[in-house]
Amino acid sequence: MMRMPTPPKEGSSGTDSAPVGGVNAFAQLMNLGPNTDKVTLMAVIDNAVTQILSELANHEAGDLTPDILVKVQTALSFLEKCLAFKDQEFSAFARKRAGELENALANTIKRIQAAGRKPIEVERQTETEGPAQAPQAVSEPEKNEPPSALLSAPDKPVSKKFAYEREEKILIDYAYNRLCKRLAFLRGDSTVVEKGKAVEISGIHEDGVPPLFLLSPRFPEILRQPFVELIREKRDLLSRRVYSHTDSSDNDEEVLRLYREDRYRDIDGIVGLAFDDWAGEIARAGIAGLPQEIKVFGAKKRDESSGGLGSSLKKVFAFGKKDKKESVKAKAQQKETTPIRVHKEWQRLESQGVFNLSQHFSFGLLSYALQLSEKQFETEYECISQIVNQQEKPDVGPVVTNLSRLYKFYDNIFFDLVIVVLFQRKNKFDINMLQAACMSQNFVVDRLPLTMDELRRRPMEHAKYVLSCLNDTTLSPEKLKPALKDYFFVHETVHASKVGKRIQASENLLKRQGDKLKGAAKQIVEEVLTILGEIKNLKKEQEEEGVFLGEEIQTTIDEGIERALLFIR
């Protein structure tokens, strides 16, 4: 599960005390810096072991999933490193937790074997009766039933109905609305009264470029059906932790009250765990993922032949092994898992310009958003937003200074998310400040993947929006002028050293698509290309003569846009 960390008190460093919670425990292990102190290291490893012990305890039947195996391997690997420190406290801690982990692993394997073992009575009956007594045309669900279930089954197979249909429906509505409210908070939505009715106003700045999926006003409605599937995948866990505390005699309002007042932490935790599991599926398939997820789930398996704590996993990986053909079939089936299918559906929507998934898309961002501290996030957002909005002239210095504080005190996702939200909400935080964060020597780029993705995509996305305006049946100067201004602002602001190929690609796109246009639209694109040619000449002159020509370049852009708009006025 992903939980928000509590920032250190003023005057203390980011590693002076153990974190309280944090992002996904295993992602957090990969983010530990080289200077992490002993208390923090032990606390993070302890959280990871506690999480895997819980998952092993809840695993009743069926082979251990690759996700659980990777987590066990990761936890044992870090415990083994603790022993290498030759520290008495470290060693005692590592041995204790490793012992607990290995015992839980052994008990889980025993439960799996017991669930799949044929009862003695059934074996004897099979021997005496022979193959002639075998039922004909056994259905697929019956084949997969354990022998103990077949022993007491009636002649005709009866599908067992889920006992908590009503409670599940109430929970889906409750948890979905809870997540939607959190997404509305990140967007900065507000409610205004228009003609006596309350109207929701999005806080996201609309410039024609699709926002990050997490911040898109259209995303909640798209999320609804996948969310239902997500909840149903966790039926067993929710039945034990939540539904079992309800009473069939309670009305819907009483069940909802139970969720709100007594079980909201369990619900948030299970929903967060489900999204984290989906994130692991995507990262393991090599489709996408945050850097920390790719490190954990996309890494090659460690060689266990060297012995140590990790060698105890040999029996786990060997357990339930299928032959080569079956493993190939399982791999093919893995491509059709729910998270991968949902991601493909969302990619189609992304290609239609509904939202941006980002190269580092992760379902884990939804888990993080659900468990985010609104007060904490809003405080940090407002701190930087007020500095930017009060500036008469844009100054990236104070912005980078405040971001450095976030970089020191918070985890990767919090730090990255604050920057992206600042950029996409309605304020004066522009592409120049976004770029300052990406290019600061104080920051490791891996800690802001969403920010870097946002910077890289901007030249091409603004060029696409200009073409979209030109392809509109009614060319509107009011719509086209800001689109052209935004394109040139990004074109001249973003450093070629970071996204030079993207800038050139945006120019090529305008030229290529412009040849397909007709009339005024074609003339406008030709004028845009003329402006770009004049800018290149001015930059060449600037470099050769060593004279700054920024004002001349801006004048060229402003005058060129006005000439272009004359074709439709």
Side-chain angles (χ1 to χ4, degrees):
M1 284 177 289
M2 291 185 174
R3 302 185 185 89
M4 281 302 309
T6 302
K9 296 177 182 178
E10 287 190 15
S12 65
S13 70
T15 57
D16 283 343
S17 60
V20 182
V23 296
N24 178 289
F26 297 92
Q28 209 173 16
L29 283 178
M30 306 309 296
N31 292 328
L32 289 172
N35 298 322
T36 304
D37 63 277
K38 184 171 75 172
V39 175
T40 303
L41 180 61
M42 289 175 65
V44 173
I45 295 175
D46 193 57
N47 286 341
V49 173
T50 300
Q51 183 177 331
I52 191 62
L53 288 175
S54 175
E55 291 187 31
L56 287 172
N58 288 325
H59 191 92
E60 298 296 338
D63 290 345
L64 288 168
T65 63
D67 185 31
I68 293 179
L69 296 177
V70 169
K71 289 178 179 179
V72 173
Q73 187 181 23
T74 303
L76 286 173
S77 174
F78 275 87
L79 287 170
E80 190 172 17
K81 290 178 182 178
C82 286
L83 292 173
F85 283 106
K86 305 298 182 184
D87 179 277
Q88 188 174 357
E89 188 180 5
F90 259 139
S91 299
F93 164 76
R95 289 193 185 95
K96 177 177 178 293
R97 296 303 266 165
E100 293 172 359
L101 197 54
E102 290 178 337
N103 286 337
L105 201 55
N107 292 334
T108 303
I109 292 174
K110 287 178 184 177
R111 287 199 306 274
I112 294 171
Q113 291 172 335
R117 190 180 295 124
K118 184 183 282 190
I120 297 173
E121 289 81 6
V122 177
E123 290 177 357
R124 289 175 180 171
Q125 185 180 1
T126 305
E127 289 174 2
T128 55
E129 292 180 1
Q133 300 295 325
Q136 297 180 7
V138 179
S139 65
E140 196 63 33
E142 277 187 301
K143 289 179 183 178
N144 296 330
E145 284 289 324
S148 57
L150 292 175
L151 189 63
S152 57
D155 294 334
K156 294 182 179 180
V158 179
S159 59
K160 188 178 179 182
K161 186 179 180 182
F162 182 54
Y164 299 106
E165 293 280 1
R166 179 179 68 104
E167 289 79 4
E168 182 181 68
K169 185 179 182 303
I170 297 170
L171 185 137
I172 288 172
D173 291 339
Y174 163 73
Y176 172 75
N177 290 333
R178 187 170 169 82
L179 180 55
C180 287
K181 286 178 182 177
R182 184 56 51 82
L183 296 177
F185 160 76
L186 288 175
R187 294 193 301 268
D189 290 0
S190 57
T191 304
V192 298
V193 178
E194 291 183 2
K195 298 179 180 179
K197 292 183 180 180
V199 180
E200 288 287 330
I201 303 296
S202 173
I204 297 300
H205 170 64
E206 296 182 5
D207 56 5
V209 176
L212 180 70
F213 73 101
L214 209 61
L215 305 175
S216 170
R218 293 183 60 185
F219 180 64
E221 61 182 286
I222 295 165
L223 176 64
R224 174 72 191 194
Q225 185 52 42
F227 189 82
V228 172
E229 297 179 56
L230 180 98
I231 294 296
R232 287 175 178 166
E233 280 188 5
K234 293 295 179 183
R235 272 181 170 177
D236 289 345
L237 189 54
L238 285 165
S239 295
R240 291 195 300 271
R241 299 276 294 276
V242 180
Y243 302 145
S244 60
H245 295 277
T246 62
D247 193 311
S248 57
S249 62
D250 292 342
N251 59 38
D252 291 0
E253 192 58 41
E254 288 171 326
V255 173
L256 183 58
R257 189 182 304 115
L258 174 74
Y259 294 163
R260 284 175 177 164
E261 297 177 2
D262 297 335
R263 293 291 152 187
Y264 65 94
R265 286 193 180 90
D266 286 326
I267 294 170
D268 285 354
I270 293 169
V271 173
L273 176 64
F275 276 125
D276 288 339
D277 288 344
W278 279 18
E281 285 275 355
I282 296 295
R284 201 161 31 247
I287 297 171
L290 297 169
Q292 57 266 37
E293 292 170 349
I294 294 170
K295 285 178 183 176
V296 173
F297 297 108
K300 292 182 180 179
K301 278 200 282 186
R302 174 177 171 269
D303 183 13
E304 283 113 27
S305 60
S306 59
L309 295 174
S311 62
S312 64
L313 287 174
K314 284 184 178 179
K315 58 182 180 181
V316 183
F317 287 108
F319 178 74
K321 259 190 177 178
K322 306 290 188 295
D323 60 44
K324 213 170 188 180
K325 290 182 180 178
E326 286 179 337
S327 62
V328 170
K329 185 178 178 182
K331 192 173 182 181
Q333 288 175 344
Q334 187 181 12
K335 295 178 182 178
E336 301 303 320
T337 58
T338 302
I340 293 176
R341 173 180 56 78
V342 170
H343 181 258
K344 286 180 180 177
E345 291 171 0
W346 289 2
Q347 280 183 313
R348 284 194 289 271
L349 293 173
E350 181 184 39
S351 66
Q352 297 168 16
V354 175
F355 47 54
N356 170 51
L357 286 181
S358 167
Q359 284 180 282
H360 293 90
F361 166 82
S362 172
F363 286 107
L365 291 171
L366 289 162
S367 169
Y368 195 89
L370 182 63
Q371 298 169 85
L372 185 71
S373 166
E374 291 189 4
K375 183 178 179 181
Q376 192 175 341
F377 191 88
E378 189 67 15
T379 298
E380 300 300 350
Y381 169 84
E382 285 297 333
C383 177
I384 299 176
S385 179
Q386 287 177 15
I387 291 171
V388 173
N389 291 338
Q390 289 170 5
Q391 291 178 353
E392 292 184 8
K393 292 184 179 180
D395 184 4
V396 300
V399 173
V400 172
T401 299
N402 275 275
L403 289 177
S404 297
R405 179 177 54 80
L406 298 185
Y407 184 86
K408 181 180 180 182
F409 286 159
Y410 293 95
D411 62 77
N412 294 5
I413 300 179
F414 188 96
F415 173 65
D416 203 15
L417 203 54
V418 168
I419 300 173
V420 174
V421 170
L422 277 163
F423 180 66
Q424 297 200 342
R425 273 205 209 170
K426 296 172 182 175
N427 56 50
K428 293 183 180 179
F429 191 98
D430 59 17
I431 191 83
N432 191 34
M433 295 178 182
L434 184 83
Q435 179 172 241
C438 294
M439 300 191 72
S440 173
Q441 294 181 352
N442 299 326
F443 305 150
V444 177
V445 174
D446 274 359
R447 286 200 59 182
L448 28 75
L450 301 177
T451 306
M452 278 301 302
D453 288 347
E454 192 64 42
L455 182 68
R456 290 191 188 103
R457 77 186 184 103
R458 280 282 152 174
M460 183 63 83
E461 291 299 327
H462 281 288
K464 288 179 182 177
Y465 183 57
V466 168
L467 291 169
S468 172
C469 293
L470 293 173
N471 280 314
D472 201 334
T473 51
T474 56
L475 276 171
S476 167
E478 292 76 17
K479 188 177 177 182
L480 181 61
K481 185 174 182 178
L484 290 171
K485 281 191 168 185
D486 286 343
Y487 173 70
F488 280 108
F489 181 66
V490 169
H491 187 280
E492 293 309 303
T493 302
V494 177
H495 291 198
S497 61
K498 283 286 180 185
V499 290
K501 290 182 179 179
R502 307 294 178 96
I503 295 172
Q504 186 59 51
S506 72
E507 295 180 15
N508 294 341
L509 178 69
L510 288 170
K511 184 176 181 180
R512 189 170 60 252
Q513 296 298 322
D515 291 338
K516 301 176 183 178
L517 297 173
K518 297 179 180 179
K522 184 179 179 67
Q523 291 174 309
I524 290 170
V525 172
E526 289 173 351
E527 188 61 48
V528 169
L529 295 173
T530 300
I531 298 170
L532 291 172
E534 292 176 2
I535 290 172
K536 285 181 181 177
N537 292 333
L538 287 169
K539 287 183 176 178
K540 185 178 179 182
E541 181 184 342
Q542 181 176 257
E543 187 176 344
E544 290 174 351
E545 298 185 8
V547 180
F548 180 65
L549 300 176
E551 291 185 8
E552 287 80 357
I553 290 173
Q554 189 57 52
T555 301
T556 298
I557 293 171
D558 293 340
E559 291 178 352
I561 290 175
E562 290 302 321
R563 288 197 305 270
L565 294 174
L566 291 175
F567 292 112
I568 54 175
R569 283 176 177 166

